[in-house]
Amino acid sequence: MANLAPEPEFQQAVNEITVTLEPFLAKHPEYRKALEVVQIPERILQFRVTWEKDDGSLAVNRGYRVQFNSALGPYKGGLRLHPTVNLSILKFLGFEQIFKNALTGLMMGGGKGGSDFDPKGKTDNEIRKFCYAFMQELSRHIGADTDVPAGDIGTGGREIGFMFGAYKKYRNEFVGVLTGKGANWGGSFIRPEATGYGLVYYVTEMLRDLDSTDWKNKRVLISGAGNVAQYAALKVIQLGGIVLSLSDSTGTLLASDPQGFFAADIADIAQIKLERKSLTAFSGAGKYTWHEGKRPWTLVKEADVALPSATQNEVSGEEAKALLKAGVRYIAEGSNMGCTQEAIDVFEDSRKSITSLQETKGICYYAPGKAANCGGVAVSGLEMAQNSQRLKWTPEEVDAKLKEIMINCYNTCRHTAIEYAEGGVVPSLVAGANIAGFVKVANAMKDQGDWW
Ligand code: NDP
Ligand code: 8G0
């Protein structure tokens, strides 16, 4: 084994795949070669980004694009702008993206990129200068049929607009090279909503399957207050559920009202986040309590569903136990790798412990991000399809396609788990997602001569 720099997040993602693939690999040992090959990115780009601050001084950041796998289509995945960005994080995100994109059923490869640039405390003018400088280099390496980036943490519609404008100037092409574009200049309807809505559609299938129930009066803990969390919360409310919490990197807001969060308050929070401010800037008129520096998972005595939607490793093993104790029966990741391996073990052990569907009390049914949050990239795939045809589908058409993709994804995870993963009355969605995504990609790689 080569002596490589430690990459803890990437190693965590590879380990999870390796362990959950084992039942499949035991039956089909020839695929072990594919697992070895698929772990190495096809290409990694690293570059310098210098940009000018408002006071005229120079700032410099690291820019990256991990072009991980193109067996199923052009590299596809977001751009993260956050001070914690490094190659371990982008490799884990790019690796997960390969299998997630396969699970959408659309033709997209996997990639991820970004920069250690911190949008907080920057002016809109500085953000624009950074985006142009970042795209000056990235524009040489991407293209509508090569690599199609999008937003992610710290990169929303405003940043995608600046990056698209920069690409167009540097390359003199108006093409679908980025997704998450404005709805009036090439973007798809429902792309902003897609990840949060898709997450809720996925959990709808879990609720139906395990308990023949729906969202009505379900008490839902949500972390994060960004794109994914906001739209997940709005969809839960629309379907009759009760949103108990939202959070950010500074703390958690808990609803004091039995009705939970109000949609109008989520709109106010969206505006605060657009201005890159902390949730402490939200007044809430006495309807909420603030828990400084806390995550939501240990703050309530009872809940039914948990939707981590902020960042990786945001649920620890101890917090997973607290969720089980609070009666949480469903956990689905809006964030990528939202749960630590210890947390996944707690949920998966609870699933394995039962022997009949009559005694499912006390289990927590877990859905991994690469399945539950694939709605975002799926609608990005639909945006690419619309761009290629130079036409536009209605919001209703896109929403219907998103729903169908999430239902198919759930069924694929479930059926693959039943076919390959170790028994258990309730299937392992994490094993099902990993096996189904991997087999699809590995087969395409074999056909294309990537392994033999
Ligand atoms: P946003 O930037 O819109 O929001 C991120 C939210 O998470 C903010 O509330 C932010 O808090 C919080 N957060 C970010 N980093 C940390 C951290 N290190 N510790 C605590 N809180 C943190 O991002 P998105 O909503 O787009 O993304 C959220 C997650 O969902 C990410 O894991 C992303 O990869 C994943 N995802 C996103 C998709 C999309 O379409 N956008 C698709 C699929 C997955 P603060 O405001 O204080 O920084
Ligand atoms: O649309 C995308 O390619 C995209 C953007 C942000 C995050 C993700 C993801 O699936 O994690 C995809």
Side-chain angles (χ1 to χ4, degrees):
M1 174 79 178
N3 189 13
L4 302 170
E7 295 179 326
E9 292 86 1
F10 178 54
Q11 212 48 58
Q12 184 184 340
V14 172
N15 285 347
E16 182 203 292
I17 290 267
T18 306
V19 170
T20 51
L21 282 184
E22 192 46 42
F24 170 82
L25 295 175
K27 285 188 198 150
H28 302 281
E30 68 278 14
Y31 281 82
R32 289 188 195 279
K33 213 46 176 175
L35 179 58
E36 190 184 331
V37 174
V38 81
Q39 295 179 30
I40 301 177
E42 290 176 12
R43 187 179 303 106
I44 299 182
L45 305 153
Q46 286 186 256
F47 49 95
R48 181 176 71 199
V49 186
T50 51
W51 54 279
E52 194 186 330
K53 295 206 230 173
D54 286 348
D55 65 7
S57 66
L58 175 149
V60 60
N61 287 98
R62 291 166 177 80
Y64 308 90
R65 186 75 182 162
V66 179
Q67 298 183 330
F68 220 124
N69 192 293
S70 59
L72 295 182
Y75 308 107
K76 179 83 199 89
L79 296 169
R80 181 172 290 191
L81 300 182
H82 197 270
T84 56
V85 162
N86 59 39
L87 262 190
S88 171
I89 288 176
L90 295 181
K91 281 179 68 180
F92 113 66
L93 288 164
F95 188 62
E96 294 272 298
Q97 197 79 51
I98 304 170
F99 309 109
K100 179 192 310 194
N101 293 1
L103 287 169
T104 65
L106 304 174
M107 302 319 296
M108 297 180 285
K112 197 84 187 187
S115 171
D116 59 1
F117 172 79
D118 186 358
K120 288 202 190 101
K122 305 295 187 296
T123 64
D124 283 358
N125 190 45
E126 287 174 329
I127 302 258
R128 181 171 46 75
K129 292 230 180 101
F130 170 81
C131 290
Y132 267 72
F134 181 75
M135 201 38 99
Q136 189 165 15
E137 179 59 35
L138 191 64
S139 61
R140 303 161 192 269
H141 309 289
I142 60 176
D145 295 317
T146 313
D147 183 354
V148 183
D152 189 66
I153 291 178
T155 316
R158 168 181 47 211
E159 291 74 21
I160 292 297
F162 294 149
M163 289 184 194
F164 185 78
Y167 181 90
K168 202 156 48 77
K169 289 186 182 71
Y170 299 140
R171 298 283 299 262
N172 197 24
E173 299 175 343
F174 190 117
V175 291
V177 66
L178 291 162
T179 59
K181 299 185 289 297
N184 58 348
W185 48 272
S188 175
F189 284 123
I190 310 291
R191 177 62 189 90
E193 295 88 345
T195 311
Y197 280 17
L199 175 66
V200 173
Y201 296 154
Y202 192 95
V203 177
T204 302
E205 299 309 298
M206 297 168 73
L207 288 160
R208 194 203 320 271
D209 227 8
L210 192 64
D211 285 321
S212 308
T213 187
D214 60 24
W215 286 96
K216 198 100 198 94
N217 293 326
K218 293 292 179 305
R219 296 155 300 180
V220 186
L221 289 165
I222 300 180
S223 67
N227 173 268
V228 179
Q230 288 165 26
Y231 286 107
L234 289 171
K235 184 53 86 175
V236 167
I237 294 170
Q238 199 188 92
L239 296 178
I242 300 163
V243 175
L244 300 179
S245 69
L246 289 175
S247 71
D248 70 4
S249 58
T250 65
T252 291
L253 206 52
L254 275 191
S256 348
D257 193 292
Q259 263 187 270
F261 274 70
F262 293 86
D265 291 333
I266 294 171
D268 289 348
I269 288 170
Q271 184 54 36
I272 284 168
K273 285 296 154 191
L274 199 59
E275 293 163 17
R276 300 179 285 278
K277 290 186 190 147
S278 154
L279 274 179
T280 50
F282 173 69
S283 81
K287 287 175 280 178
Y288 306 93
T289 55
W290 177 247
H291 302 263
E292 180 77 21
K294 294 268 177 22
R295 297 195 283 222
W297 320 128
T298 57
L299 298 180
V300 299
K301 285 210 175 69
E302 286 185 0
D304 303 298
V305 182
L307 304 175
S309 302
T311 192
Q312 65 276 357
N313 290 329
E314 54 168 327
V315 184
S316 68
E318 286 310 306
E319 287 167 323
K321 286 182 197 153
L323 288 172
L324 262 184
K325 204 162 154 231
V328 169
R329 277 176 73 68
Y330 301 88
I331 177 156
E333 292 172 341
S335 48
N336 287 306
M337 208 162 79
C339 293
T340 59
Q341 189 57 53
E342 293 74 28
I344 297 175
D345 291 344
V346 170
F347 302 131
E348 285 287 280
D349 286 348
S350 80
R351 182 189 60 77
K352 284 181 208 158
S353 69
I354 62 153
T355 51
S356 119
L357 270 180
Q358 261 57 58
E359 14 158 328
T360 63
K361 251 189 155 165
I363 83 153
C364 187
Y365 196 16
Y366 162 72
K370 66 170 72 65
N373 73 32
C374 80
V377 76
V379 173
S380 277
L382 300 179
E383 182 170 328
M384 290 163 71
Q386 292 168 82
N387 291 167
S388 305
Q389 300 172 77
R390 300 205 194 287
L391 51 72
K392 192 154 176 181
W393 298 327
T394 64
E396 292 73 25
E397 283 173 305
V398 179
D399 195 36
K401 287 181 204 294
L402 169 63
K403 222 174 253 178
E404 191 187 331
I405 289 170
M406 299 314 297
I407 293 172
N408 286 342
C409 176
Y410 176 76
N411 288 329
T412 300
C413 295
R414 186 172 181 280
H415 292 137
T416 309
I418 291 167
E419 187 174 352
Y420 289 109
E422 32 77 17
V425 196
V426 178
S428 168
L429 296 177
V430 58
N434 287 340
I435 296 169
F438 170 79
V439 170
K440 183 166 181 191
V441 174
N443 286 342
M445 288 172 70
K446 186 161 194 224
D447 291 345
Q448 294 172 31
D450 288 329
W451 64 280
W452 53 91

